[in-house]
Amino acid sequence: MSSASPLDVARDFCAGFGPTYEDAVATCRKLLHTDVSWRSVTSDDRPVESLAAVLDDLRRAREIMGAEGFGIDVHRIRADGDLVLMRRTDTILDAEGDLLHALDVMSMLRVVDGKIVWSRECFFDSRTFDEAWGA
């Protein structure tokens, strides 16, 4: 059981999700529950219902898009109990550190005992990401 607040966990997740692929994987392993439910417009047809599935998506992003780095820039963040709402920009970078995609995102997380147990995301414009992802 963690004494970190849901807001702290969400901030730590965003700060640790990059700059490298390996950082993103380590942060997921540290802060996501093994049975995490992670949904977004890019996963409607393929629900992500475990840490293993999130890590598989990261691996696929690496293979399909050439994603070698990530960043999350939080613009607004608020918590109410175990729920955290944030507006952020996610960036996906290639091996040279060049921008592959920048995604404007609204996200709601639920944090229990220091782990993210679910996330719901809405991308303001996911078309280019969907095309790159092969969706």
Side-chain angles (χ1 to χ4, degrees), residues 36-40 42-50 53-54 57:
V36 67
S37 173
W38 200 284
R39 302 279 176 96
S40 71
T42 62
S43 67
D44 278 343
D45 60 340
R46 241 182 353 91
V48 176
E49 297 294 338
S50 69
V54 170
D57 272 358

Side-chain angles (χ1 to χ4, degrees), residues 47-63:
V48 176
E49 297 294 338
S50 69
L51 171 59
V54 170
L55 295 176
D56 189 52
D57 272 358
L58 284 175
R59 180 194 53 77
R60 283 182 4 140
R62 189 180 214 184
E63 291 172 1

Side-chain angles (χ1 to χ4, degrees), residues 6-53:
L7 192 60
D8 289 338
V9 171
R11 284 184 175 136
D12 289 349
F13 180 82
C14 293
F17 200 83
T20 69
Y21 172 87
E22 290 76 15
D23 293 330
V25 169
T27 295
C28 286
R29 288 188 173 154
K30 177 182 175 187
L31 295 174
L32 299 184
H33 190 276
T34 56
D35 295 321
V36 67
S37 173
W38 200 284
R39 302 279 176 96
S40 71
V41 296
T42 62
S43 67
D44 278 343
D45 60 340
R46 241 182 353 91
V48 176
E49 297 294 338
S50 69
L51 171 59

Side-chain angles (χ1 to χ4, degrees), residues 5-129:
S5 73
L7 192 60
D8 289 338
V9 171
R11 284 184 175 136
D12 289 349
F13 180 82
C14 293
F17 200 83
T20 69
Y21 172 87
E22 290 76 15
D23 293 330
V25 169
T27 295
C28 286
R29 288 188 173 154
K30 177 182 175 187
L31 295 174
L32 299 184
H33 190 276
T34 56
D35 295 321
V36 67
S37 173
W38 200 284
R39 302 279 176 96
S40 71
V41 296
T42 62
S43 67
D44 278 343
D45 60 340
R46 241 182 353 91
V48 176
E49 297 294 338
S50 69
L51 171 59
V54 170
L55 295 176
D56 189 52
D57 272 358
L58 284 175
R59 180 194 53 77
R60 283 182 4 140
R62 189 180 214 184
E63 291 172 1
I64 292 170
M65 286 187 278
E68 290 293 333
F70 302 92
I72 300 176
D73 183 20
V74 177
H75 306 294
R76 303 268 190 274
I77 188 167
R78 297 288 182 269
D80 186 3
D82 62 1
L83 297 177
V84 179
L85 179 68
M86 69 179 109
R87 177 152 183 230
R88 63 183 209 247
T89 301
D90 294 1
T91 53
I92 302 170
L93 310 171
D94 67 14
E96 287 75 42
D98 294 326
L99 182 68
L100 292 171
H101 299 283
L103 304 163
D104 198 5
V105 182
M106 283 297 298
S107 171
M108 182 178 287
L109 307 172
R110 181 168 184 235
V111 179
V112 176
D113 294 332
K115 299 278 187 175
I116 297 169
V117 297
W118 64 255
S119 173
R120 301 297 180 261
E121 296 177 332
C122 176
F123 298 99
F124 288 99
D125 181 7
S126 63
R127 289 174 295 185
T128 59
F129 185 73

